[in-house]
C-alpha cells in the first residue's frame, strides 16, 4: 500500500532552470495538496485541488504552477527556479473530512 | 488572518519525563485543531485531532484538549520514550476543508535514554 508517492526525493537546480515535481496517490482521494516546509515556518500551502479538474491557490502560490492530470496525479512545476524556492516540498491527499496523508517529500536546492 | 504559534524548540527530555508542547491559535469561527508528527526523513502523520471546544484528542499516550477560552491546544504525554523523538506540528483547518491547514512552526523533541 504505497499511499502518496513523490518523485524525485532530491533535486538540485540552478537559478532559472525549470522542473516538475511529481505526486501520485493510490487511495482514490479526491483532494490533493502541495505544501512547502521551511525551517522555523512550518508548512505552507502552495496549491490544492479539491477534485479532478480543479485547482486553487494556497498561501504561497507565486512562482509555481500545478496540474491535476487525473484523479491520482497532481504535479507542481517551477518554471524559473529561484534560491527562495529552496525547500522541502510535500504532496498530500485527503477525502471528505479525513486527515491529510503525506508523501515523504522532495528536497529541492536552488543555487 | 488565522495563525498558529508553538513553543520554541528544541525540547530535550529524559525517557519517562512528562511532556508539554504549547500551542495557541488565532482564528475566526470554529476551526478543527490537529497535532501532526514528523519522524526523520518522513512526511507528516496525524497524531490526534479535536473538532470542537472541550474535545480531547488522544493517541499513543498523547493528549490535547481544545480550549476555546484560552485559544489553546497543548500537547501532553505522561511518560515519553526515545521513539517519541520527532518534530511535532500544531495546525488548524480553515473552514470545512480539513486539508487546507495552517501550521505552527514545529517543535523538535529529543528524548534521551
Amino acid at each position: 500500500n504505497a499511499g502518496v508517492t513523490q518523485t524525485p526525493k532530491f533535486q538540485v537546480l540552478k537559478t532559472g532552470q525549470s522542473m516538475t515535481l511529481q505526486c501520485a496517490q493510490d487511495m482514490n482521494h479526491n483532494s490533493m495538496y502541495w505544501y512547502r516546509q521551511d525551517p522555523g515556518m512550518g508548512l505552507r500551502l502552495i496549491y490544492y485541488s479539491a477534485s479532478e479538474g480543479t485547482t486553487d491557490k494556497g498561501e504561497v502560490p507565486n512562482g509555481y504552477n500545478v496540474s491535476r492530470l487525473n484523479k491520482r496525479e497532481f504535479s507542481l512545476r517551477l518554471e524559473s527556479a529561484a534560491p527562495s524556492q529552496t525547500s522541502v516540498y510535500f504532496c498530500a491527499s485527503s477525502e471528505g473530512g479525513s486527515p491529510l496523508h503525506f508523501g515523504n517529500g522532495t528536497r529541492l536546492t536552488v543555487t | 488572518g488565522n495563525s498558529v504559534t508553538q513553543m520554541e524548540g528544541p525540547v530535550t527530555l529524559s525517557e519517562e519525563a512528562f511532556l508539554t508542547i504549547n500551542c495557541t491559535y488565532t482564528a475566526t469561527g470554529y476551526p478543527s485543531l490537529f497535532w501532526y508528527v514528523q519522524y526523520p526523513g518522513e512526511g507528516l502523520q496525524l497524531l490526534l485531532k479535536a473538532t470542537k471546544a472541550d474535545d480531547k484528542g488522544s493517541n499513543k499516550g498523547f493528549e490535547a484538549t481544545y480550549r476555546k477560552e484560552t485559544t489553546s491546544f497543548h500537547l501532553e504525554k505522561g511518560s515519553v520514550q526515545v521513539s517519541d523523538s520527532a518534530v511535532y506540528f500544531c495546525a488548524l483547518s480553515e473552514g470545512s476543508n480539513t486539508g487546507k491547514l495552517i501550521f505552527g512552526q514545529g517543535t523538535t523533541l529529543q528524548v534521551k535514554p
Side-chain angles (χ1 to χ4, degrees), chain B residues 73-94:
Chain B
F73 193 54
H74 304 320
L75 182 68
E76 296 181 336
K77 187 175 185 183
S79 176
V80 293
Q81 306 299 312
V82 172
S83 57
D84 293 327
S85 298
V87 182
Y88 292 81
F89 292 92
C90 185
L92 66 81
S93 66
E94 297 189 303

Side-chain angles (χ1 to χ4, degrees), chain B residues 37-66:
Chain B
V37 59
Q38 183 181 32
Y39 298 103
E42 298 183 8
L44 281 71
Q45 305 171 26
L46 178 70
L47 181 58
L48 54 84
K49 69 176 183 180
T51 58
K52 61 183 187 297
D54 300 324
D55 267 3
K56 178 186 283 189
S58 61
N59 185 27
K60 300 182 182 178
F62 291 89
E63 294 183 340
T65 301
Y66 190 144

Side-chain angles (χ1 to χ4, degrees), chain B residues 5-42:
Chain B
T5 302
Q6 291 179 234
M7 62 186 289
E8 293 281 339
V11 174
T12 302
L13 296 173
S14 297
E15 208 165 21
E16 299 183 2
F18 185 86
L19 168 71
T20 301
I21 300 177
N22 290 339
C23 171
T24 58
Y25 67 91
T26 301
T28 54
Y30 303 96
S32 294
L33 301 174
F34 304 84
W35 277 100
Y36 278 82
V37 59
Q38 183 181 32
Y39 298 103
E42 298 183 8

Side-chain angles (χ1 to χ4, degrees), chain A residues 35-88:
Chain A
Y35 284 86
R36 60 177 289 174
Q37 181 181 20
D38 301 294
M41 302 188 73
L43 281 76
R44 293 177 292 168
L45 183 63
I46 305 171
Y47 270 94
Y48 68 101
S49 170
S51 61
E52 187 178 353
T54 69
T55 60
D56 284 290
K57 296 179 180 179
E59 182 185 352
V60 288
N62 290 346
Y64 305 95
N65 285 300
V66 289
S67 296
R68 183 72 183 268
L69 304 169
N70 48 55
K71 192 171 185 179
R72 289 186 65 246
E73 299 172 286
F74 188 39
S75 62
L76 179 71
R77 183 161 177 83
L78 287 69
E79 291 290 352
S80 179
S84 61
Q85 294 178 306
T86 293
S87 188
V88 181

